[in-house]
Amino acid sequence: MQDEGPWDKYLDRTEDDHRKIYGVDMVELAVQYGTPLYVLFENIIAENHAKYRDALEKEYSNYLICYAVKANTNFDVLRLLAESGCGADVASEYELRIALDAGIRPEKIRANGNCKSEFYLEECIKREIVINVDPEEELEVINEISQKLGISAKINLRLSGFPLEYITSSAITTSSEWSKFGISVGRADRVFRKVRDMEWLVPNGLMVHLGSQITDITAYYTVLDIMIDLAKKGQNTGFEIHEIDLGGGLGIQYFDQEEWASIKTKIKNTAKQNYTWADEPTGYKYSPESGDLEWTGEELYCPHTQDGFIKRLFNERYSGGRTFREKFEDIGSPRFVIEPGRSMVGNAGVTIARICHVSNTPLGHNIVHLDAGVNINTFGTAVPEQLHRIEIANNIEIGEPFETFVAGNLCFTGDLFGKIKNRLNRRPKRGDYILFYDTGAYSDFFASNANSFPRPGKVMVAKDGTHRLLEKREELSDVFAREQNWSKKSAPIGI
Ligand SMILES: Cc1ncc(COP(=O)(O)O)c(C=O)c1O
């Protein structure tokens, strides 16, 4: 059974047929703040957090939720979460600083990163922030810094090398045998002993982050069985296990089950259906065993909500006919930590852009050109099968559905919003506003000033239906802020 998407209850339209979300006219926002524009919805972020929190309160009260700051790094988002008791997963000293300033307490922060600077490590050690060690060589570095500071460091070992294949797109699988992260599970025994001999390290637990947009709960079970086994071994070696940190990764629902199944079928038959860019079977790989194409990409339908996921995770019987809760009790019921990012903010945001042209490729495919490039919708640069549901935000109702590629305004052909055709509610025209749903996570992750375009503004629609600017759209002087020898960079754009 699929849960109701968060949008359904908030969608409405104005009298002149503009898309309204949570009572706010999206076209009005686009006009007021300019496009492209990111829009976040405070109440959906709060709801997402509450779903995790309430489910954990019920299922296992020794828990900590650390919002993955990287998913959408914004002060107001962090403050909102801090006020409701949420912690943070940070990946740099910069994320650490904004999380602390937003009011997240050090004991609720987990420090990640596979190349942490000495400054970052020092700041964590001074505040007794738990550090997720990654890679193994970092142990010596932390031990040395701790000794210099005269303060012991609390550490979790971040593990990888789990037998997982195609749990999500390979670019965002972070815990399998092909991973740049963590300490190999095969070396854990040796590492436990190594830590025992390092005077300034205080073992705290084990950590893993499977990857992102995980939709199959069995991947978590595979990893948890191995982690629990290792935790027992660690405990026998004197490596204390106060917590198991399962990282983030839970997927969100970009499309409903039926629609996603139909999109995948069309991709597979792309040559017949003219459906993907250059007729490539994006997201599929040829399998010599089956002699057929098999889906190895990201799944854009996720059957789990945050609360449903927690409930199943703790209560479903899996290997040995036992539940995770029972297995967790075997290792002394340590703290259960999660670091969700996408599932906290992904479905709490939309992006609005303006259509510049409606055109055709040389082969006659429909293509619309936007005033926004992949540098503002960045996830697709890592994961080509990442699609979002789209809609024309003005005159929603009119016309026949229109299948089209969606291109950005940057100077390279890969600047496509997905290599897969997408469906609009009607044939668009120049000047229409296009709305991308579920863009609250990672949309500005790789954001850049490609072609010297300014990075967009970010607006928050508050719980009371008002809206406020969170981040301003860049101006000429921001785009060229680092120029040292250009005296007119602060002048208005006029040439
Ligand atoms: C260490 C760590 N924790 C948590 C997350 C959040 O993952 P997600 O947004 O898929 O929940 C990430 C994402 O890259 C991560 O690297």
Side-chain angles (χ1 to χ4, degrees), residues 52 66-71 89-91 111-113 132 134 158 172 174 181 207-214 220 245-251 338-345 379 441-442 445:
Y52 272 125
C66 295
Y67 165 60
V69 174
K70 68 206 83 175
D89 141 41
V90 298
N112 282 298
N132 290 332
D134 172 17
R158 178 168 176 171
I172 49 170
T174 45
F181 297 101
M207 186 268 176
V208 66
H209 170 62
L210 271 65
S212 203
Q213 188 59 16
I214 310 284
Y220 283 100
D245 180 342
L246 199 51
L250 178 64
I338 48 168
E339 304 177 356
R342 190 192 296 251
S343 55
M344 294 279 270
V345 289
F379 218 69
Y442 303 113
F445 189 74

Side-chain angles (χ1 to χ4, degrees), residues 59-326:
E59 300 298 339
Y60 191 81
S61 59
N62 186 14
Y63 72 90
L64 173 64
I65 303 167
C66 295
Y67 165 60
V69 174
K70 68 206 83 175
N72 198 316
T73 313
N74 175 269
F75 187 72
D76 283 29
V77 170
L78 286 165
R79 210 170 39 176
L80 171 77
L81 291 170
E83 278 164 9
S84 49
C86 192
D89 141 41
V90 298
S92 67
E93 52 270 49
Y94 305 96
E95 287 186 0
L96 172 62
R97 176 65 196 273
I98 193 170
L100 287 168
D101 279 2
I104 296 183
R105 297 210 309 272
E107 66 271 23
K108 291 191 171 185
I109 294 179
R110 295 295 174 269
N112 282 298
N114 63 316
C115 188
K116 302 182 194 79
S117 70
E118 289 185 10
F119 176 76
Y120 179 28
L121 290 170
E122 277 179 21
E123 292 301 302
C124 292
I125 295 165
K126 282 187 210 155
R127 293 178 170 83
E128 296 185 27
I129 289 171
V130 175
I131 301 169
N132 290 332
V133 177
D134 172 17
E136 185 179 329
E137 288 68 19
E138 199 178 56
L139 290 167
E140 279 90 12
V141 180
I142 299 173
N143 194 48
E144 222 170 86
I145 296 175
S146 286
Q147 183 173 22
K148 190 182 77 188
L149 295 173
I151 309 167
S152 297
K154 279 192 200 164
I155 58 152
N156 289 339
L157 301 182
R158 178 168 176 171
L159 299 171
S160 64
F162 293 91
L164 301 167
E165 235 188 334
Y166 306 133
I167 52 166
T168 185
S169 173
S170 61
I172 49 170
T173 303
T174 45
S175 54
S176 68
E177 286 158 352
W178 286 99
S179 174
K180 71 163 185 159
F181 297 101
I183 298 166
S184 168
V185 284
R187 288 193 51 82
D189 265 353
R190 264 165 289 178
V191 175
F192 292 144
R193 287 196 296 274
K194 207 170 173 181
V195 171
R196 203 176 46 190
D197 297 334
M198 292 186 170
E199 195 186 337
W200 295 90
L201 302 187
V202 181
N204 185 67
L206 301 178
M207 186 268 176
V208 66
H209 170 62
L210 271 65
S212 203
Q213 188 59 16
I214 310 284
T215 57
D216 178 2
I217 205 162
T218 60
Y220 283 100
Y221 290 145
T222 302
V223 164
L224 281 170
D225 271 357
I226 296 170
M227 299 267 278
I228 286 169
D229 249 21
L230 286 177
K232 287 178 189 161
K233 285 188 184 151
Q235 287 167 332
N236 291 334
T237 328
F239 188 99
E240 287 181 31
I241 303 290
H242 298 294
E243 73 183 32
I244 296 283
D245 180 342
L246 199 51
L250 178 64
I252 63 167
Q253 191 176 305
Y254 291 97
F255 292 92
D256 70 29
Q257 190 169 17
E258 219 174 286
E259 196 171 3
W260 179 234
S262 125
I263 291 172
K264 284 207 298 190
T265 307
K266 286 195 207 164
I267 298 172
K268 197 169 179 184
N269 300 323
T270 183
K272 277 184 237 146
Q273 310 231 3
N274 287 327
Y275 197 61
T276 60
W277 195 258
D279 290 336
E280 280 169 12
T282 306
Y284 282 97
K285 245 192 192 155
Y286 176 75
S287 156
E289 287 100 62
S290 67
D292 198 2
L293 289 172
E294 279 181 10
W295 184 258
T296 60
E298 211 181 51
E299 288 290 351
L300 299 184
Y301 161 70
C302 180
H304 310 294
T305 51
Q306 299 83 346
D307 45 343
F309 169 71
I310 294 295
K311 196 168 167 203
R312 275 191 72 187
L313 190 75
F314 276 89
N315 296 306
E316 197 168 79
R317 296 195 177 280
Y318 61 109
S319 62
R322 303 184 71 222
T323 64
F324 168 53
R325 185 199 308 279
E326 289 164 353

